[in-house]
Amino acid sequence: MDFLAEKAKIELSQLYGVATFYSEFSLTPVGKNVISVCTGTACHVAGAKRVIEAIEGELDIAEGETTKDLAFTLRAVSCLGACGLAPVMKVGSETFGRLTPKSARDIIRKIKMREKNNL
């Protein structure tokens, strides 16, 4: 961050402000597969918390954490813009809707298998 601030000729605090405001930036390493679970009103009412808990159990991490192998990062986000499919998660560029805890775990397991087979 020091290097970037110096090269961009801006204050370090300004750079941190941008880096911490936008969810696409991270100050810590993120996994190859970033899982974003919507926690907006529609998703919250439809069971997003249970979906997050199921994924946490499947990956043995808490929301906001990354697996030790850097394969997955789990994030709760305010909105994914797919309220009609609530609860919704996005893994990379793929969107999955009408989730249950079981279907979320199944999706994660399929991604794990796909990753394992691509090694």
Side-chain angles (χ1 to χ4, degrees):
M1 295 290 282
D2 290 326
F3 174 79
L4 291 174
E6 183 180 318
K7 288 297 181 187
K9 295 182 178 26
I10 61 173
E11 294 293 322
L12 183 61
S13 61
Q14 289 178 296
L15 188 58
Y16 271 106
V18 171
T20 57
F21 179 80
Y22 293 101
S23 63
E24 293 301 314
F25 293 121
S26 178
L27 299 179
T28 58
V30 296
K32 180 178 178 182
N33 299 284
V34 176
I35 304 164
S36 301
V37 180
C38 179
T39 58
T41 303
C43 290
H44 172 76
V45 170
K49 183 177 180 182
R50 292 188 319 271
V51 169
I52 290 171
E53 289 169 350
I55 297 168
E56 288 174 328
E58 181 64 30
L59 296 175
D60 195 29
I61 59 171
E63 186 277 318
E65 294 182 344
T66 299
T67 56
K68 289 180 176 127
D69 63 359
L70 296 177
F72 295 93
T73 297
L74 176 59
R75 292 183 172 165
V77 297
S78 298
C79 184
L80 288 174
C83 300
L85 299 175
V88 178
M89 77 174 174
K90 194 171 179 183
V91 183
S93 61
E94 293 182 82
T95 302
F96 303 92
R98 296 187 180 89
L99 296 169
T100 64
K102 181 186 181 317
S103 67
R105 280 190 304 271
D106 290 345
I107 291 165
I108 300 306
R109 287 175 186 158
K110 285 179 187 173
I111 294 169
K112 284 180 178 179
M113 288 302 296
R114 182 173 66 203
E115 294 292 324
K116 185 178 178 180
N117 291 332
N118 284 336
L119 292 178

